Amino acid sequence: MPIQVLHDHTVAQIAAGEVVERPASVVKELLENALDAGATSVQISVEGGGRKRIRLSDNGSGIASEDVGLAFSRHATSKLHTIDDLASIATLGFRGEALASIASVSQVSLATRHRNEDTGTQIRVEGSVIVQQQPAGTPEGTVISVENLFYNTPARLKFLKKESTEKRRILSIVTRYAMAYPDVRFLLEQDGREVFRSSGSGQLADVVVKALGLDNFRNMVEVELTDTEHGKLDPVNVVGYASTPDFSRADRSHITLFVNGRHVQDSKLTYAVVQAYHTLLMKGRYPIAILMIDIAPGEVDVNVHPAKAEVRFRDANAVFSAVQRAVRQAVVGFSRTPDVRSGRFGGFATTQPATTWGSHGLREPAQLDMELPLEDAGRYPGQRETGEARDSVDPSEIPEGLGAPQKPRTLPMLRVVGQVGAMYIVAEGPAGMYLIDQHAAHERILYEQFMDTFDNQNVIAQHTLAAQTVEFPSSEARLVEDNLGILQSVGFDLESFGPNAFVVRAVPGMLADADPLEVVSAIVDDLAQEKSPGREAIEGKIILRVCRQAAVKAGQVLSHDEMQGLIRQLERCRSPHTCPHGRPTMLHISGDQLAREFGRA
Ligand code: ADP
Ligand code: MG
């Protein structure tokens, strides 16, 4: 084929691919236009998963009659004049591409009336060509209807997913924008059925309830932080909701982020949210979060991607750490004791069919009541990692004469009953029975102790009595060499001794009784497996390993005093309900549940 300059229309269709990938992207662009126009009410109706028709009507400013035709030209926008405007852009759109792109791959009708004009305009554009334009009496605002999407680009059409998938994506876009704009009323109908509605009350919580359902919302905590830690930067504001650690999902797709009102996909910020749950969630589990991040417009570059889904921060680390801290602060202390009824942890939950209970004329076993362990302890919600005193701590619990206890209690007082299988401690509390995994619980205690000293740069290194030498295969020896500094910050003192050998001079204090060679080998194995580079990941991994090695093992018989001591310490952990790997430390069976199981209820 000889080289030819492409037809304008072909150029438009090619370019459209970047902006209009699927029906949900059309919905997104139209929504953004309505919001930019200052609408307080937006109605969306979609047919056939958006392929047949997407109709959006808003009560925004409308378009002046002389501008209507121009709106469909490429790079025509009312939102920006020079590139300098971009630094302080406050609108969602600015590229002037969306309407032109959409109109090049569909048939569009638009009726609009500007708020300063008496008559409106009606226009029809098919495959980039204006086929009709006339004055029309229409209400203030804009109604746009996009029909037969991709009718002239069969290749695109082929790549569309099932109608149900497209519908789901559209719902997800609309609910996300509704959350970001709680003072705007949204209504979404699909094939004539209302599927989402928000009230426009201005309360984020109202929209989150609508979007996630009340049951899910109950498992969310509020996030709110104005971060001024990075002094040079204008403050970063983070508000929203995040799930409690016992409520998680199998992937990251439930983490929704907005930056200055713009929905963004940013893997680094998503990672910051996941990091905030470090040691609280099991591997492979992810939180649900809806976060609105607000920063000065000059701190963020929104012009990275035609669909404007990615942004770049001037100081990405500052934003990252603000997000992480905001979420961490909100969720720490909210992890709860899993109730055995949940059946999540296997065998213990009753699987008795309801009829058995029925035949005895008893109530069916009650449904899982996740609130129970919290309610009766009566003081977990509201606790913050910062250690700020909770209003509800009962001062009578603080033993006198000991001085003020270092930390508030996060579990009810438990009395040790005994040990099962040299693995689990059976304890009794005001709210029933607790089964505690001794190894997991001790790991949690050691982890928090370690982190306290670590954060204060007070790590205790214990010199080994007789310095021992370890030797590794050369690739592993390099790993040790590369990480000597980190190892030292955690309390290890290793010194190169020949090409692949090291002398172990000190180990972290809590490992004083452990075999240093075994510990160091385990750490080297961990390092070899660690995929994410970076000091923090490596440090974290080493600390987890140290705590695991130092913790009492399953299979170790404990004296009554040892068990009681362990429980006393667990009661004062910030996050006593999970081990640092995110697994539960305890199961709880309430008094009511026991009564029901024994047919006493
Ligand atoms: P951009 O939003 O990047 O400016 P678009 O192609 O999405 O580009 O829209 C082009 C222009 O059309 C906008 O700048 C705006 O002036 C006008 N416009 C589009 N939709 C609406 C609407 N719903 N209400 C008012 N004006 C609109
Ligand atoms: Mg736009």
Side-chain angles (χ1 to χ4, degrees):
M1 231 192 276
I3 298 180
Q4 284 177 332
V5 175
L6 293 174
H7 229 264
D8 282 353
H9 180 57
T10 313
V11 173
Q13 284 186 334
I14 291 174
E18 294 182 321
V19 182
V20 190
E21 205 186 338
R22 50 169 21 97
S25 15
V26 174
V27 174
K28 168 179 176 289
E29 294 295 339
L30 299 183
L31 268 179
E32 290 193 350
N33 282 347
L35 294 166
D36 281 347
T40 57
S41 172
V42 183
Q43 292 165 22
I44 307 118
S45 78
V46 172
E47 278 163 44
R51 263 182 50 193
K52 209 166 138 210
R53 196 156 80 115
I54 295 168
R55 183 174 178 279
L56 193 137
S57 86
D58 69 58
N59 64 352
S61 65
I63 308 176
S65 44
E66 58 174 29
D67 288 347
V68 173
L70 211 52
F72 289 92
S73 312
R74 182 158 301 275
H75 310 306
T77 176
S78 58
K79 301 170 192 175
L80 158 150
H81 291 294
T82 72
I83 192 69
D84 298 334
D85 298 341
L86 204 53
S88 55
I89 197 92
T91 51
L92 297 167
F94 54 83
R95 296 174 64 103
E97 277 183 326
L99 288 188
S101 296
I102 293 167
S104 72
V105 291
S106 67
Q107 296 158 335
V108 179
S109 313
L110 177 135
T112 184
R113 180 162 70 83
H114 192 266
R115 60 170 59 119
N116 300 337
E117 293 180 2
D118 297 330
T119 341
T121 311
Q122 192 159 6
I123 186 170
R124 186 160 170 89
V125 187
E126 294 186 2
S128 297
V129 182
I130 298 181
V131 293
Q132 189 198 33
Q133 180 169 3
Q134 64 196 48
T138 80
E140 190 180 307
T142 303
V143 182
I144 183 165
S145 174
V146 176
E147 284 164 25
N148 302 319
L149 187 62
F150 302 133
Y151 78 105
N152 53 357
T153 53
R156 281 261 136 201
L157 208 49
K158 263 202 301 224
F159 282 99
L160 285 192
K161 297 269 192 298
K162 280 202 309 256
E163 191 176 312
S164 56
T165 312
E166 300 299 339
K167 277 169 136 175
R168 227 187 13 254
R169 289 187 192 241
I170 291 172
L171 173 63
S172 133
I173 286 278
V174 174
T175 50
R176 281 172 176 173
Y177 274 89
M179 290 190 276
Y181 293 83
D183 39 15
V184 176
R185 221 167 339 128
F186 286 76
L187 171 64
L188 172 65
E189 289 176 346
Q190 298 206 344
D191 300 317
R193 265 191 50 230
E194 176 179 321
V195 292
F196 178 79
R197 179 193 286 271
S198 72
S199 67
S201 69
Q203 299 300 313
L204 176 59
D206 288 348
V207 197
V208 178
V209 168
K210 292 274 168 136
L212 302 182
L214 188 58
D215 282 349
N216 289 344
F217 181 69
R218 287 214 178 98
N219 289 303
M220 308 285 282
V221 292
E222 200 172 347
V223 176
E224 193 174 4
L225 182 90
T226 300
D227 185 275
T228 44
E229 198 121 305
H230 294 262
K232 53 193 187 319
L233 206 83
D234 286 323
V236 183
N237 272 304
V238 186
V239 299
Y241 288 90
S243 53
T244 56
D246 55 2
F247 184 61
S248 61
R249 291 283 184 264
D251 60 53
R252 296 174 182 79
S253 67
H254 302 268
I255 300 173
T256 302
L257 303 170
F258 285 84
V259 173
N260 294 349
R262 186 187 302 281
H263 177 237
V264 299
Q265 273 143 10
D266 185 301
S267 54
K268 201 158 180 234
L269 284 188
T270 304
Y271 182 66
V273 177
V274 176
Q275 272 296 300
Y277 288 80
H278 185 56
T279 82
L280 298 176
L281 283 183
M282 259 186 259
K283 251 212 164 86
R285 301 300 298 178
Y286 299 92
I288 302 169
I290 295 120
L291 297 176
M292 315 291 159
I293 301 152
D294 283 308
I295 66 175
E299 293 293 331
V300 50
D301 180 2
V302 291
N303 188 27
V304 180
H305 187 264
K308 299 161 290 178
E310 289 166 28
V311 293
R312 220 172 268 140
F313 298 102
R314 206 160 62 86
D315 187 348
N317 288 338
V319 183
F320 182 99
S321 87
V323 168
Q324 189 187 15
R325 243 166 327 111
V327 177
R328 182 80 186 173
Q329 179 182 306
V331 300
V332 155
F334 278 90
S335 68
R336 307 170 184 179
T337 319
D339 198 297
V340 287
R341 280 241 183 265
S342 70
R344 272 190 300 172
F345 301 100
F348 212 91
T350 178
T351 47
Q352 210 116 340
T355 48
T356 325
W357 294 82
S359 64
H360 296 287
L362 299 170
R363 276 192 292 140
E364 284 181 26
Q367 285 308 296
L368 167 69
D369 180 8
M370 289 304 272
E371 242 82 281
L372 189 65
L374 291 185
E375 296 304 300
D376 46 45
R379 51 186 97 85
Y380 307 138
Q383 191 210 352
R384 290 290 186 271
E385 187 176 35
T386 51
E388 85 193 26
R390 297 159 307 164
D391 338 323
S392 46
V393 176
D394 179 356
S396 65
E397 276 181 289
I398 300 173
E400 279 171 45
L402 289 175
Q406 336 62 14
K407 288 176 183 166
R409 192 187 298 284
T410 51
L411 278 182
M413 275 250 233
L414 301 180
R415 181 181 71 83
V416 169
V417 177
Q419 194 185 20
V420 181
M423 252 186 251
Y424 307 109
I425 300 168
V426 186
E428 182 193 14
M433 184 179 122
Y434 293 76
L435 260 185
I436 294 148
D437 179 322
Q438 63 192 37
H439 174 67
H442 198 204
E443 264 187 294
R444 162 55 64 186
I445 294 164
L446 294 175
Y447 179 75
E448 292 199 4
Q449 286 175 354
F450 193 95
M451 289 318 284
D452 285 345
T453 54
F454 190 67
D455 290 342
N456 300 328
Q457 303 186 334
N458 255 336
V459 169
I460 302 160
Q462 172 91 37
H463 286 272
T464 47
L465 284 179
Q468 301 192 52
T469 317
V470 266
E471 196 169 348
F472 296 106
S474 65
S475 65
E476 295 180 357
R478 294 298 79 73
L479 273 176
V480 177
E481 227 155 52
D482 292 347
N483 293 300
L484 279 178
I486 301 183
L487 282 162
Q488 184 160 27
S489 71
V490 175
F492 288 95
D493 183 4
L494 302 187
E495 199 179 292
S496 275
F497 186 73
N500 296 327
F502 301 86
V503 185
V504 184
R505 300 208 182 279
V507 295
M510 65 173 65
L511 285 173
D513 299 331
D515 173 3
L517 300 191
E518 194 188 316
V519 176
V520 175
S521 304
I523 288 177
V524 170
D525 286 347
D526 289 343
L527 291 179
Q529 278 171 25
E530 179 59 51
K531 297 214 174 49
S532 46
R535 187 179 174 98
E536 276 182 22
I538 294 173
E539 230 166 51
K541 197 96 188 206
I542 297 176
I543 293 170
L544 287 179
R545 172 57 66 183
V546 168
C547 295
R548 168 174 284 196
Q549 295 286 131
V552 294
K553 303 281 177 293
Q556 207 163 318
V557 177
L558 300 178
S559 73
H560 190 276
D561 284 350
E562 284 171 328
M563 290 190 277
Q564 197 66 62
L566 192 137
I567 302 255
R568 285 289 95 86
Q569 297 181 59
L570 186 65
E571 285 165 3
R572 301 202 182 270
C573 280
R574 279 185 294 267
S575 304
H577 301 273
T578 57
C579 82
H581 303 277
R583 286 187 289 273
T585 53
M586 64 180 80
L587 298 179
H588 169 234
I589 310 168
S590 72
D592 282 353
Q593 252 171 300
L594 283 171
R596 277 198 300 275
E597 299 290 334
F598 286 106
R600 292 171 165 277

